[in-house]
Amino acid sequence: MTASVFANERLLFNPATPDSDAIRTIFAFPNEYSVGITSLGYQVVWATLAMRSDVQVSRLFTDIHEQLPRDPELLGFSVSWELDYVNILNLLESLEIPIRAKARSSSDPLVFGGGPVLTANPEPFADFFDVILLGDGENLLGDFIAAYKEVRNSDRPTQLQHLAQVPGVYIPSLYEVTYHDPTGTIKSIEPLAAVPNVVEKQTYRGNTLSASTVVTEKAAWENIYMVEVVRSCPEMCRFCLASYLTLPFRTASFEGSLIPAIERGLAVTDRIGLLGASVTQHPEFDALLEYLSKPEYDHIRLSIASVRTNTVTEKLARLLAKRDTRSLTIAVESGSERLRRIINKKLDNDAIIQAAVNAKAGGLSSLKLYGMVGVPGEDMADLEQTVAMMKSLKKAAPGLRLTLGCSTFVPKAHTPFQWYGVNHQAEKRLQFLQKQLKPQGIDFRPESYNWSVIQALLSRGDRRLSQLLELTRHYGDSLGSYRRAFKALRGQIPDLDFYVYSDWSRDRVLPWSHIQGPLAQATLLKHLAAAEAEMDKVGKESQLVRC
């Protein structure tokens, strides 16, 4: 079974033949193969390692693996989803490696991790990793390997101390976190050795972005070849990790990156996926459309990530329909223009309606909208306006199938809304939308509120949560399991409300205060002040109306 899965892969790179003394490395994705091999980040890092003759890399997933080295020196994890931490711990145990970094000896591999989850806030998982790579892998990975080679034969403390000097390489054990009391806020985060006080997330600023390094029918998206069109997003919605954590907005060179990448992909498959938080805002997106409209590409299947609403033209819809795409996804967040001003969503309802009209005119059969409840500043009137907007869309584009996917606001590190907690009324607000929209024939798909609570816990968590995560793993991954673990640890760590629901003071030490993202905290506070000025403006307006 394992051999046939890997034999089915079509590689778009040439692996190197490892040197006799190559670094024995396992690179893991803490989920099944079909999920992991669909992660563009995992693909690219694996290929980067496999193309080096000084590294011998084997892949590991929860269900299958390549032949693993007997005594690995490095064990890496690409982490894209918070709840995959359970599989990280399970895989460590299966390899007979201690779960906690402090329990490992020089005979154990250095366990490193990277990816969006660990870059945003590594602290809940910090005790499980020797090394965490913060930021883009293009430069960081090579710097990490080069630094490791310099201390390859040294003892573990020397290795960690040396690696900590590399920009973007975070060694959690070399930083001490103290608390005002066991269930209180953080008092300080201090380096224990001659290492940087603050670790800066590394940003790749080139214009050659990522593309698939392997195509396989066993991927979650069968036989898809993925091309990164843009990185980050220029809109900067104030809750959005995908924008703030990955700034600045970068675009792939049309002639130097995009077209060559697409041509490489089309040599092995007829399914292309265009990736990015705001694909249609590539400055040469129209030229890309023209390129993909060529008659010789009539056979290809084209998938496109979420697009900015006011870029949904009839021309775009027509091309997608012709390329076997039936639906398009846009993020609108709310039907309330007031709320969109608070979150910095530069969009009006007329543009949303026009997108629906254009989608139908271009031949698409459905339009999926992403919304959110519980955003700071939201009240019930905002939800009523979302219902009204969806009704307007149904009337403006009859016959177009409408889906509203809706999540609960979750505070994310390095965003202006990181200081706000989850709204206690969010679950009821999801139920309100369900009740209002279902009779209208609108497909309402809420994300799990309970999962949002767990996500918020891990998004805002500190190192004390490692105790909770180890305990919860044996209970299961339901919200009830987490509550049971909190009960067992009462008095030893803060409660659920502390992490999830409470609004935090602006001057408190955050769990990630020693991690520098793209924007300084002072800048995030300015963005937050702009949002709260909009909230205050609305409050004053409503007072005038009552008068």
Side-chain angles (χ1 to χ4, degrees):
M1 168 66 180
T2 298
S4 65
V5 168
F6 292 126
N8 190 261
E9 296 177 334
R10 284 159 287 170
L11 302 186
L12 290 104
F13 69 98
N14 295 316
T17 300
D19 300 332
S20 59
D21 64 342
I23 301 165
R24 299 178 303 280
T25 304
I26 298 173
F27 188 47
F29 192 93
N31 210 309
E32 295 179 350
Y33 171 84
S34 64
V35 177
I37 207 63
T38 312
S39 163
L40 183 56
Y42 180 82
Q43 282 191 23
V44 170
V45 172
W46 161 61
T48 301
L49 293 172
M51 286 189 286
R52 297 180 63 121
S53 62
D54 57 354
V55 175
Q56 176 192 331
V57 62
S58 301
R59 288 175 291 165
L60 171 65
F61 303 91
T62 56
D63 53 347
I64 63 171
H65 58 79
E66 293 176 312
Q67 184 173 347
L68 302 178
R70 188 170 298 175
D71 298 305
E73 298 174 58
L74 298 176
L75 167 59
F77 288 94
S78 177
V79 189
S80 300
W81 193 45
E82 285 92 341
L83 284 188
D84 276 347
Y85 84 85
V86 173
N87 293 327
I88 294 174
L89 304 188
N90 291 342
L91 287 171
L92 287 169
E93 280 191 344
S94 73
L95 295 168
E96 298 183 348
I97 297 168
I99 284 176
R100 288 184 171 266
K102 67 182 180 183
R104 295 178 197 135
S105 68
S106 294
S107 62
D108 294 308
L110 284 178
V111 178
F112 73 93
V117 169
L118 294 177
T119 297
N121 177 20
E123 291 308 285
F125 318 100
D127 288 344
F128 308 131
F129 287 92
D130 298 298
V131 179
I132 293 175
L133 307 182
L134 302 174
D136 297 336
E138 280 89 349
N139 302 328
L140 187 51
L141 191 64
D143 293 344
F144 166 61
I145 296 294
Y148 172 73
K149 288 170 70 174
E150 292 170 353
V151 288
R152 186 180 183 186
N153 298 316
S154 302
D155 60 29
R156 202 177 196 86
T158 301
Q159 289 177 340
L160 295 176
Q161 178 72 40
H162 184 72
L163 290 169
Q165 310 307 319
V166 179
V169 174
Y170 172 43
I171 310 297
S173 62
L174 297 181
Y175 294 81
E176 181 180 37
V177 184
T178 57
Y179 308 91
H180 286 103
D181 60 70
T183 62
T185 56
I186 295 172
K187 184 177 183 180
S188 67
I189 305 173
E190 301 289 344
L192 289 172
V195 295
N197 290 331
V198 173
V199 187
E200 289 192 31
K201 180 238 173 196
Q202 297 301 290
T203 300
Y204 168 69
R205 297 178 183 274
N207 62 1
T208 298
L209 300 184
S210 299
S212 286
T213 59
V214 59
V215 170
T216 174
E217 65 184 25
K218 303 295 184 181
W221 297 337
E222 184 180 333
N223 285 324
I224 195 164
Y225 176 85
M226 298 170 286
V227 183
E228 188 181 20
V229 178
V230 300
R231 191 173 294 183
S232 194
C233 176
E235 296 306 307
M236 297 177 70
C237 296
R238 291 175 177 129
F239 61 84
C240 184
L241 182 71
S243 178
Y244 275 85
L245 185 66
T246 57
L247 289 170
F249 180 60
R250 286 146 287 164
T251 61
S253 164
F254 182 71
E255 295 288 349
S257 177
L258 272 183
I259 300 306
I262 290 171
E263 289 176 347
R264 283 197 305 275
L266 289 174
V268 296
T269 185
D270 63 357
R271 186 172 183 189
I272 300 291
L274 303 180
L275 302 190
S278 193
V279 169
T280 50
Q281 286 181 275
H282 189 288
E284 294 177 271
F285 187 76
D286 284 345
L288 182 59
L289 283 188
E290 292 292 338
Y291 176 83
L292 294 171
S293 298
K294 292 178 181 179
E296 61 260 40
Y297 295 144
D298 281 351
H299 66 289
I300 74 171
R301 298 164 63 197
L302 182 65
S303 303
I304 189 168
S306 177
V307 302
R308 180 156 165 76
T309 304
N310 60 6
T311 61
V312 179
T313 61
E314 189 176 333
K315 178 181 177 182
L316 172 62
R318 199 179 306 116
L319 171 68
L320 292 174
K322 193 176 179 183
R323 296 291 182 266
D324 204 32
T325 293
R326 298 284 172 260
S327 179
L328 194 61
T329 302
I330 58 176
V332 298
E333 315 316 341
S334 171
S336 163
E337 298 196 358
R338 173 193 89 89
L339 201 62
R340 288 199 297 266
R341 286 196 301 274
I342 290 173
I343 64 178
N344 197 37
K345 190 82 178 177
K346 307 171 192 75
L347 185 62
D348 58 44
N349 283 352
D350 289 344
I352 299 170
I353 291 171
Q354 190 61 53
V357 170
N358 290 346
K360 185 188 176 191
L364 296 177
S365 57
S366 64
L367 182 68
K368 182 173 182 179
L369 300 92
Y370 277 133
M372 186 176 285
V373 300
V375 175
E378 178 188 79
D379 59 32
M380 285 305 296
D382 298 308
L383 274 75
E384 290 163 359
Q385 288 177 45
T386 296
V387 173
M389 177 194 71
M390 295 303 295
K391 289 179 180 177
S392 298
L393 291 178
K394 193 171 177 64
K395 185 176 179 181
L400 185 70
R401 183 180 174 215
L402 297 175
T403 299
L404 178 62
C406 198
S407 62
T408 295
F409 163 73
V410 171
K412 295 288 188 178
H414 308 289
T415 69
F417 283 171
Q418 65 186 357
W419 289 279
Y420 277 99
V422 171
N423 190 311
H424 277 286
Q425 299 299 313
E427 188 170 23
K428 289 182 179 178
R429 292 179 182 184
L430 289 172
Q431 293 166 353
F432 170 81
L433 290 176
Q434 173 87 45
K435 187 176 179 182
Q436 295 294 316
L437 294 175
K438 193 173 181 181
Q440 304 295 325
I442 293 167
D443 185 12
F444 181 67
R445 297 184 185 177
E447 284 190 12
S448 162
Y449 169 76
N450 287 347
W451 154 237
S452 296
V453 170
I454 297 170
Q455 194 181 23
L457 170 67
L458 298 175
S459 294
R460 291 175 115 196
D462 53 47
R463 290 191 189 183
R464 290 172 290 189
L465 285 188
S466 64
Q467 303 170 66
L468 183 96
L469 298 182
E470 281 195 72
L471 201 53
T472 307
R473 180 168 68 117
H474 301 294
Y475 295 159
D477 60 4
S478 68
L479 182 58
S481 301
Y482 281 83
R483 292 190 187 280
R484 181 179 168 190
F486 269 113
K487 190 173 180 180
L489 293 168
R490 185 172 293 155
Q492 300 175 53
I493 67 171
D495 59 18
L496 183 72
D497 189 83
F498 173 93
Y499 291 112
V500 174
Y501 296 105
S502 62
D503 293 342
W504 290 356
S505 64
R506 309 299 191 253
D507 58 353
R508 75 188 281 172
V509 178
L510 301 172
W512 50 89
S513 287
H514 58 310
I515 306 292
Q516 178 60 59
L519 297 180
Q521 181 158 307
T523 304
L524 295 178
L525 285 167
K526 286 180 183 176
H527 291 212
L528 177 62
E532 292 178 335
E534 288 290 344
M535 296 180 205
D536 291 344
K537 190 188 302 180
V538 171
K540 289 171 184 171
E541 287 171 358
S542 59
Q543 281 182 345
L544 288 172
V545 169
R546 284 197 296 271
C547 292

